């Protein structure tokens, strides 16, 4: 097989978001791959829009990226004890497309947050959001980067060796799941 396709999804739209940095670190530690960084800057889901205009092009692009992926990493912030609305909106839109691009895909979930739990609650909730899609969720090690704004060097690399070692282990498990 040529290099596997790894799709990275950050639940934050900010260019310098710590979840975007964590997702990129995961891609680096995953190893050789064609890395595709998904864009979640999508319109809000609206059944009327779908009925009148169909699936927006940006949603279809995301769906096609997920379908093409050999593996997926999702890094979620925690907003008010849950995943971001941006991420939930993307999941809702993709659920409206034909087929199920998530089915049986290996997916690793991680989180980075300002709080001391590192987004643990958002990650737990995100896992339940993914259940209807039936991916192969990698169960651990769990990555919860706490006080995340202080955990990355200027070049985007993780500062804490324990986080990096755990993320490396998670990426090794994800790579091993590629069929």
């Amino acid at each position: 097989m040529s290099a596997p396709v790894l799709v990275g999804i950050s639940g934050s739209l900010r260019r310098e978001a710590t979840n975007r940095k964590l997702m990129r670190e995961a891609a680096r530690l995953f190893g050789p791959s064609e890395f595709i960084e998904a864009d979640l800057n999508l319109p809000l889901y609206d059944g009327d829009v779908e009925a009148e205009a169909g699936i927006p092009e940006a949603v279809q692009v995301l769906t096609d990226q997920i379908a093409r992926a050999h593996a997926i990493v999702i890094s979620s912030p925690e907003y008010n004890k849950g995943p971001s609305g941006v991420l939930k909106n993307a999941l809702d839109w993709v659920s409206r497309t034909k087929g199920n691009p998530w089915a049986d895909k290996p997916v690793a979930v991680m989180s980075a947050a300002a709080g001391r739990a590192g987004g643990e609650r958002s990650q737990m909730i995100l896992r339940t959001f993914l259940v209807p899609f039936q991916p192969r969720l990698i169960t651990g090690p769990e990555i919860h980067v706490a006080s995340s704004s202080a955990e990355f060097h200027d070049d985007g690399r993780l500062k804490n060796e324990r986080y990096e070692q755990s993320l490396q282990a998670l990426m090794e498990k994800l790579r091993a799941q590629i069929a």
Side-chain angles (χ1 to χ4, degrees):
M1 168 183 5
S2 59
V5 176
L6 177 66
V7 169
I9 299 173
S10 170
S12 178
L13 296 177
R14 291 178 42 239
R15 284 183 305 278
E16 295 300 316
T18 56
N19 279 282
R20 191 170 301 279
K21 291 176 183 180
L22 183 58
M23 172 195 65
R24 290 174 180 158
E25 274 288 82
R28 181 182 68 80
L29 295 171
F30 182 82
S33 67
E34 178 187 340
F35 179 60
I36 298 170
E37 195 168 314
D39 181 2
L40 300 191
N41 196 358
L42 307 172
L44 290 175
Y45 176 74
D46 181 335
D48 290 339
V49 169
E50 179 186 6
E52 294 167 13
I55 300 296
E57 183 179 346
V59 172
Q60 193 58 57
V61 167
L62 174 61
T63 300
D64 294 345
Q65 289 171 338
I66 294 167
R68 185 170 170 248
H70 292 97
I72 300 166
V73 295
I74 303 174
S75 189
S76 177
E78 183 168 291
Y79 297 151
N80 302 310
K81 307 296 183 197
S84 67
V86 166
L87 185 52
K88 178 66 166 92
N89 183 60
L91 295 174
D92 289 344
W93 263 121
V94 172
S95 76
R96 303 299 300 160
T97 63
K98 293 198 185 311
N100 178 4
W102 295 99
D104 206 34
K105 295 274 179 180
V107 176
V109 174
M110 58 201 70
S111 55
R116 63 183 171 204
E120 186 173 18
R121 285 185 182 169
S122 74
Q123 195 174 131
M124 179 189 67
I125 294 167
L126 176 58
R127 288 175 184 279
T128 64
F129 286 170
L130 291 168
V131 168
F133 303 124
Q134 300 179 15
R136 280 184 284 143
L137 286 168
I138 308 303
T139 57
E142 292 182 340
I143 310 297
H144 308 109
V145 179
S147 303
S148 62
S149 64
E151 291 298 331
F152 292 89
H153 292 288
D154 290 341
D155 64 0
R157 300 277 299 265
L158 280 164
K159 291 180 178 179
N160 187 309
E161 188 175 310
R162 287 183 313 211
Y163 283 142
E164 186 171 351
Q165 289 171 348
S166 294
L167 187 56
Q168 177 71 55
L170 180 63
M171 290 302 97
E172 287 171 5
K173 286 179 78 173
L174 182 63
R175 185 176 275 282
Q177 288 294 312
I178 295 174

